[in-house]
């Protein structure tokens, strides 16, 4: 699979399938510019988790894992499933998550 290829999705579109395992898909209603910012925050947080392991810094790891959780929740990949939320709840979820991540660039 090419890196630009999209992962397989379940027929209902709620999950992607990677190596036979289902993962919750990103909320398709998130505007692409917002989703791109959230994905950048997620990637940075994952790098921070790896760095905290290398540095053996449990406090930094805790902070980084919290940022991963915030980014994934804002993307709709954790927490209440996006298909169970109203449009207003979905928008509030990604706007709140993005604001929280932008406010603390650790």
């Amino acid at each position: 699979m090419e890196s630009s290829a999209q992962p397989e999705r379940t027929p209902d579109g709620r999950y992607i399938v990677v190596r036979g395992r289902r993962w919750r898909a990103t909320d398709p209603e998130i505007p692409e510019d917002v989703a791109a910012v959230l994905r950048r925050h997620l990637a940075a947080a994952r790098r921070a988790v790896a760095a905290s392991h290398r540095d053996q810094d449990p406090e930094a790891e805790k902070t980084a894992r919290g940022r991963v959780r915030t980014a994934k929740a804002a993307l709709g990949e954790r927490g209440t499933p996006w298909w169970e939320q109203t449009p207003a709840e979905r928008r509030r979820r990604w706007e709140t998550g993005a604001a929280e991540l932008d406010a603390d660039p650790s």
Side-chain angles (χ1 to χ4, degrees):
M1 179 189 293
E2 293 179 21
S3 62
S4 63
Q6 294 296 314
E8 176 188 349
R9 282 188 173 255
T10 58
D12 61 11
R14 295 175 176 174
Y15 300 91
I16 61 170
V17 180
V18 179
R19 296 186 196 113
R21 187 166 178 191
R22 286 184 334 155
W23 298 91
R24 195 183 310 171
T26 296
D27 183 344
E29 293 299 315
I30 300 174
E32 183 49 40
D33 59 327
V34 176
V37 168
L38 291 170
R39 286 190 300 267
R40 282 194 296 274
H41 279 296
L42 176 58
R46 286 177 167 163
R47 286 190 302 272
V49 168
S52 70
H53 279 285
R54 283 191 305 274
D55 298 342
Q56 297 181 2
D57 184 343
E59 194 56 40
E61 180 181 356
K62 182 178 177 183
T63 299
R65 287 191 184 280
R67 291 181 61 75
V68 167
R69 170 107 179 78
T70 299
K72 290 189 73 66
L75 287 163
E77 298 173 11
R78 294 223 178 119
T80 302
W82 47 263
W83 56 89
E84 294 178 4
Q85 295 178 318
T86 66
E89 290 170 326
R90 291 165 81 175
R91 176 174 289 282
R92 189 169 37 256
R93 184 198 66 240
W94 77 64
E95 287 178 347
T96 300
E100 183 178 328
L101 291 163
D102 286 343
D104 180 22
S106 32

